[in-house]
Amino acid sequence: MFTMQIGVDLGGTKIEAIARRRVATPRAYEQTITAIVSLVAQLETATGQRGSVGIGIPGAVVPDSGRVKNANSVWLIGQPLGVDLGAQLRRDVRVDNDA
C-alpha cells in the first residue's frame, strides 16, 4: 500500500520530483532510468513512506505497446519507459505526456 504519490517531471534539461529535488537530465536511456529511480529512493528515504509513481514526459506513450513516441528527448523514443521504471522500482509506474 502506498502512503503518498510521487510526481516526476522528466524534461529535456532536468528531471524534477516533488519537494523540488532536481537532477540534470542524462542524454541516454539507462542513465535516465537510474536518475529517476534515485530521485524516488531519495524521496522515500526522506519521508519514510513508499509512494505510487507518475511520470510526465515530453512525448506520447503508445497505448498498445507502452513505448514512447514523438519525444523531444530522442533517447526515450521507442523505449518502454513505464515498464522499465516499474521493473526497477518494483511497482506500476504511470507515464503520460506532460502537456
Side-chain angles (χ1 to χ4, degrees):
M1 178 159 185
F2 299 113
T3 55
M4 70 173 168
Q5 296 175 331
I6 299 171
V8 178
D9 176 20
L10 171 54
T13 60
K14 56 117 178 102
I15 301 170
E16 187 171 10
I18 58 171
R20 294 283 188 196
R21 294 194 184 250
R22 181 185 292 192
V23 297
T25 301
R27 300 287 184 224
Y29 185 69
E30 291 300 325
Q31 289 86 349
T32 299
I33 297 286
T34 300
I36 294 170
V37 169
S38 176
L39 278 175
V40 169
Q42 289 174 35
L43 289 166
E44 290 180 337
T45 298
T47 63
Q49 299 178 54
R50 184 170 160 84
S52 60
V53 178
I55 312 287
I57 65 166
V61 177
V62 178
D64 292 341
S65 68
R67 293 185 181 272
V68 176
K69 70 174 186 173
N70 302 331
N72 66 345
S73 301
V74 296
W75 57 93
L76 299 176
I77 295 174
Q79 300 292 343
L81 183 62
V83 171
D84 290 342
L85 282 168
Q88 290 288 318
L89 293 168
R90 290 184 240 138
R91 68 193 90 170
D92 289 334
V93 174
R94 294 185 186 262
V95 178
D96 207 346
N97 182 269
D98 61 3

